[in-house]
């Protein structure tokens, strides 16, 4: 199933979400009675899609669709998307976003930071006059994230391993994929991933999933290690980390999660888990040589993708404001582009 099949629908979903200001969950610490709190005041670029990180990655989705499908039958009319991106990704708006990040150094750490880097990378890859405008406007915010990441990593003694936004492995893997980090910060990210995870073995896959995961702790870790270990070393590490893959024993990570209530905002995260697992499973399979492990991972990726795709647009804002991004990752994982 190529991403082009869904390009028009995903672009429409992204546009509707990044321009929808309410309902809004700002995750903002109020420090004064007269503090301005309107979403557009706090975040003039990323005020929509319910929360900041979803707005950022829905912008990423829109640029990604433009880059791959603009002018094709899959996405014939891109004028509205470019117009909205031009209104949002301005130097003034992004200067305000950069200032907010600088003044709130733990805001959206590390998930939102990584998505901002991914957005900047997508704008750069899109190119042309529009891509150059957006890339230049994003540069101050990218610089702030790079600095914040560099300051945080030496203090991050332990990784966050659960399956929600603070997950360390997913965000740092996404940051590496972006190519937007300075050489020193890129090196620090790789060193921290190795320090956290190189000696891990026998991951407790039977503990997954938790009730509101949209990321797999084990697969996110494995996918991060794929980025920092050369092929044969990674394959050996994966054998130690998830020995059931090689032995042929049952592995719960390969089973599609059951979602009892799609409309519940937390249980509904499991819809995203199916898609984020699909992306990770595909990337892991592509990093391995032909054989039984690769085949198991590929088959599980297809099963998860087939289960998650029908949920992308349900007319329910609790899932519609974010899920299409993870569908795009599952259809074309960043590590596979």
């Amino acid at each position: 199933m190529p991403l082009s099949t869904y390009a028009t629908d995903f672009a429409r979903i992204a546009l509707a979400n990044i321009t929808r200001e309410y309902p809004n969950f700002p995750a903002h610490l109020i420090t004064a009675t007269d503090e301005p709190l309107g979403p557009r005041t706090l975040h003039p670029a990323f005020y929509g899609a319910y929360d900041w990180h979803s707005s950022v990655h829905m912008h990423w989705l829109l640029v990604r669709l433009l880059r791959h499908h603009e002018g094709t039958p899959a996405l014939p009319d891109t004028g509205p998307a470019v117009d909205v991106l031009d209104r949002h990704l301005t130097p003034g708006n992004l200067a305000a976003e950069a200032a907010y990040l600088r003044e709130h150094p733990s805001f959206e750490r590390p998930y939102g930071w990584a998505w901002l880097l991914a957005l900047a990378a997508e704008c750069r890859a899109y190119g042309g006059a529009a891509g150059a405008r957006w890339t230049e406007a994003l540069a101050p915010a990218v610089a702030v994230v790079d600095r914040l990441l560099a300051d945080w990593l030496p203090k991050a003694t332990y990784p966050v391993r659960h399956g929600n936004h603070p997950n360390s492995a997913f965000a740092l893997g996404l940051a590496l994929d972006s190519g937007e980090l300075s050489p020193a910060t890129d090196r620090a990210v790789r060193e921290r991933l190795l320090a956290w995870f190189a000696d891990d073995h026998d991951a407790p896959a039977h503990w997954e999933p938790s009730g509101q995961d949209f990321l797999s702790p084990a697969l996110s870790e494995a996918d991060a290690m794929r980025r920092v270990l050369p092929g044969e070393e990674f394959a050996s590490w994966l054998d130690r980390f998830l020995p059931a893959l090689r032995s042929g024993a049952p592995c719960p990570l390969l089973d599609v999660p059951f979602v009892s209530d799609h409309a519940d905002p937390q249980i509904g995260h499991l819809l995203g888990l199916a898609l984020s697992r699909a992306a990770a499973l595909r990337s892991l399979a592509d990093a391995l040589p032909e054989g039984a492990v690769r085949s198991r991972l590929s088959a599980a990726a297809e099963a998860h993708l087939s289960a998650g795709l029908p949920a992308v647009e349900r007319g329910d804002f609790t899932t519609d404001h974010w899920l299409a991004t993870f569908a795009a990752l599952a259809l074309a994982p960043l590590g596979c582009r």
Side-chain angles (χ1 to χ4, degrees):
M1 290 174 280
L3 180 56
S4 59
T5 304
Y6 303 91
T8 298
D9 289 340
F10 285 5
R12 175 175 45 78
I13 293 168
L15 271 174
N17 278 288
I18 65 176
T19 56
R20 180 174 178 174
E21 188 170 2
Y22 297 101
N24 198 289
F25 186 75
H28 175 77
L29 178 65
I30 302 171
T31 59
T33 57
D34 58 349
E35 197 167 340
L37 299 175
R40 288 179 190 250
T41 302
L42 293 172
H43 301 295
F46 305 122
Y47 61 83
Y50 186 71
D51 49 34
W52 193 87
H53 54 259
S54 298
S55 182
V56 173
H57 67 62
M58 279 295 197
H59 280 77
W60 169 88
L61 175 61
L62 202 53
V63 179
R64 186 166 180 81
L65 293 169
L66 287 173
R67 178 160 81 90
H68 288 285
H69 304 296
E70 185 174 30
T72 71
L75 200 64
D77 182 14
T78 57
V82 173
D83 288 345
V84 167
L85 290 165
D86 270 337
R87 290 201 305 271
H88 287 192
L89 303 182
T90 67
N93 287 349
L94 271 301
E97 299 286 1
Y100 189 94
L101 289 166
R102 189 181 303 109
E103 293 161 9
H104 302 82
S106 62
F107 176 72
E108 292 284 356
R109 183 183 75 195
Y111 181 79
W113 295 356
W115 276 116
L116 186 109
L117 296 172
L119 171 60
E122 208 61 45
C123 290
R124 190 182 302 280
Y126 176 57
R133 286 195 303 274
W134 306 333
T135 301
E136 184 176 358
L138 280 159
V142 168
V144 171
V145 166
D146 187 272
R147 182 69 261 159
L148 291 172
L149 193 53
D151 289 344
W152 169 65
L153 284 170
K155 299 180 288 186
T157 307
Y158 309 106
V160 176
R161 296 178 184 268
H162 65 61
N164 272 275
H165 306 89
N167 181 281
S168 304
F170 177 83
L172 293 193
L174 193 61
L176 288 178
D177 280 344
S178 75
E180 293 291 317
L181 296 172
S182 66
T185 305
D186 183 280
R187 184 168 57 253
V189 167
R190 294 174 185 276
E191 290 171 354
R192 181 53 67 191
L193 286 171
L194 290 168
W196 282 338
F197 302 134
D199 293 332
D200 280 3
H201 55 88
D202 299 309
H206 58 286
W207 288 359
E208 296 191 32
S210 293
Q212 58 187 39
D213 284 353
F214 71 92
L215 300 169
S216 162
L219 292 178
S220 294
E221 177 177 339
D223 207 20
M225 293 301 284
R226 169 187 63 79
R227 293 161 165 105
V228 297
L229 290 175
E232 289 188 7
E233 279 189 51
F234 172 68
S236 296
W237 179 90
L238 188 63
D239 283 346
R240 296 191 301 273
F241 186 63
L242 292 171
L245 295 179
R246 178 73 60 188
S247 70
C251 181
L253 302 176
L254 306 184
D255 299 332
V256 175
F258 172 70
V259 188
S260 62
D261 185 353
H262 288 204
D264 184 284
Q266 299 304 321
I267 296 173
H269 271 181
L270 294 167
L271 298 167
L273 177 64
L275 293 169
S276 69
R277 276 187 178 183
L281 289 163
R282 279 190 62 188
S283 294
L284 294 172
D286 286 351
L288 297 173
E290 294 292 340
V293 176
R294 179 172 177 146
S295 296
R296 288 188 79 187
L297 294 173
S298 296
E302 291 305 311
H304 280 78
L305 180 61
S306 296
L309 274 176
V312 168
E313 186 178 17
R314 300 175 52 255
D316 182 345
F317 192 54
T318 61
T319 51
D320 288 0
H321 79 273
W322 66 282
L323 203 56
T325 297
F326 284 86
L329 287 178
L331 290 162
L334 293 182
C336 299
R337 65 182 176 183

